[in-house]
Amino acid sequence: MREAGWSGRGLRSLQIPWLGLLLVGLLCAAALVRPLRPVLLTLLIAAYGLGRWRHLDTRPIAATLPVAAILAWGALPQPAAAADAAQCADLLAPPAVWRLIEAAVGLLAVGLLVVDRRASLAELGLRAGSRRNVLLSVVAVIVVTPVALLAGGLLGTTALGGSFFGTYRLDLSQPAALLPAAVFAVSNSVAEELAYRGAMRVWLGPSLGVLGANLAQAVVFGVAHSGPDFVGPVAPTAAAMLAAGFMAGVIARRSTSLLFVIAAHAAFDVPLFFYWACRVG
């Protein structure tokens, strides 16, 4: 008896809510404790292979694998922020290359699962959607990017910005930095949206329900953004990212597309590149 894609026909289904909840809990633990990340990824790969061999429904495991792969890559030491902003306009700036490789890791995980399960990227929301959705996505990039840059430059010296990265000032004087910033932002947004709002939200749906799956990916997303990379209070940062992740999941489901959330995410991430490569002080 062979498994026939994601429809569940021809397999012994494991529609057990606790399995999805257990995997979400393990992802949260790995997000908070870096040494656990490669261990969890290894265990998930082994469990997925065993489940496929036994013809079980491995959707809950597959749902968490891309996020686990991204977290495992993030366990490696990341490039430090440049004190003199010398990397600002360099297309091969370490922060941009780092995020590009991280995106490749996440996309590879999703791609292998899609091929193995005879699924489709459109099922996960990697599609343009309606004309309105495309238009709103373009507007989001054009409008949100300069606002986010301005806010990043101003908030870096305030308690709000400091709660994320500490006190700093952005060097916004080099327009050429927008190119590596775009590489950084698009890489980060595509990988995270496809992993969280795509694979995790969609493939956890059968076991946790639509609302439960969306809340689960948002919780893991929030916890993943409150680790050692953030120097301020954990609770406000995690709560803000949880809320953003949940709303992004709602938008992705209603639009049946990840395009808008990828565009908005990328626009908000542009200042992050300036933080890593164009930071002064």
Side-chain angles (χ1 to χ4, degrees), residues 24-88:
V24 169
L26 290 174
L27 283 178
C28 287
L32 292 173
V33 184
R34 282 188 174 182
L36 292 179
R37 298 179 184 183
V39 176
L40 177 60
L41 178 60
T42 302
L43 290 176
L44 288 177
I45 292 174
Y48 180 81
L50 178 62
R52 292 288 282 159
W53 177 58
R54 298 289 297 173
H55 306 293
L56 301 175
D57 183 357
T58 52
R59 276 176 290 188
I61 301 173
T64 57
L65 265 171
V67 173
I70 291 175
L71 289 176
W73 175 258
L76 300 174
Q78 299 188 38
D84 58 359
Q87 301 172 356
C88 227

Side-chain angles (χ1 to χ4, degrees), residues 71-163:
L71 289 176
W73 175 258
L76 300 174
Q78 299 188 38
D84 58 359
Q87 301 172 356
C88 227
D90 184 3
L91 182 59
L92 297 178
V97 174
W98 181 268
R99 292 293 182 178
L100 184 61
I101 298 175
E102 180 182 79
V105 170
L107 293 176
L108 177 62
V110 172
L112 290 174
L113 289 167
V114 166
V115 171
D116 181 58
R117 307 309 298 263
R118 305 177 201 173
S120 70
L121 292 174
E123 173 188 337
L124 303 183
L126 203 60
R127 54 190 297 271
S130 65
R131 291 183 179 180
R132 178 186 178 187
N133 191 56
V134 173
L135 178 60
L136 289 175
S137 300
V138 173
V139 171
V141 172
I142 295 174
V143 174
V144 175
T145 300
V147 172
L149 274 171
L150 179 61
L154 294 177
L155 295 180
T157 58
T158 68
L160 180 59
S163 68

Side-chain angles (χ1 to χ4, degrees), residues 136-237:
L136 289 175
S137 300
V138 173
V139 171
V141 172
I142 295 174
V143 174
V144 175
T145 300
V147 172
L149 274 171
L150 179 61
L154 294 177
L155 295 180
T157 58
T158 68
L160 180 59
S163 68
F164 284 82
F165 302 113
T167 302
Y168 65 93
R169 180 171 60 85
L170 297 184
D171 180 4
L172 304 179
S173 64
Q174 301 190 51
L178 288 174
L179 187 56
V183 173
F184 176 97
V186 172
S187 299
N188 196 49
S189 61
V190 170
E192 291 191 342
E193 293 304 327
L194 190 55
Y196 287 93
R197 263 64 71 183
M200 192 170 180
R201 181 185 63 84
V202 173
W203 289 342
L204 275 182
S207 58
L208 297 184
V210 172
L211 178 60
N214 193 34
L215 182 59
Q217 63 82 17
V219 168
V220 177
F221 187 70
V223 175
H225 286 76
S226 60
D229 293 336
F230 301 87
V231 300
V234 172
T237 302

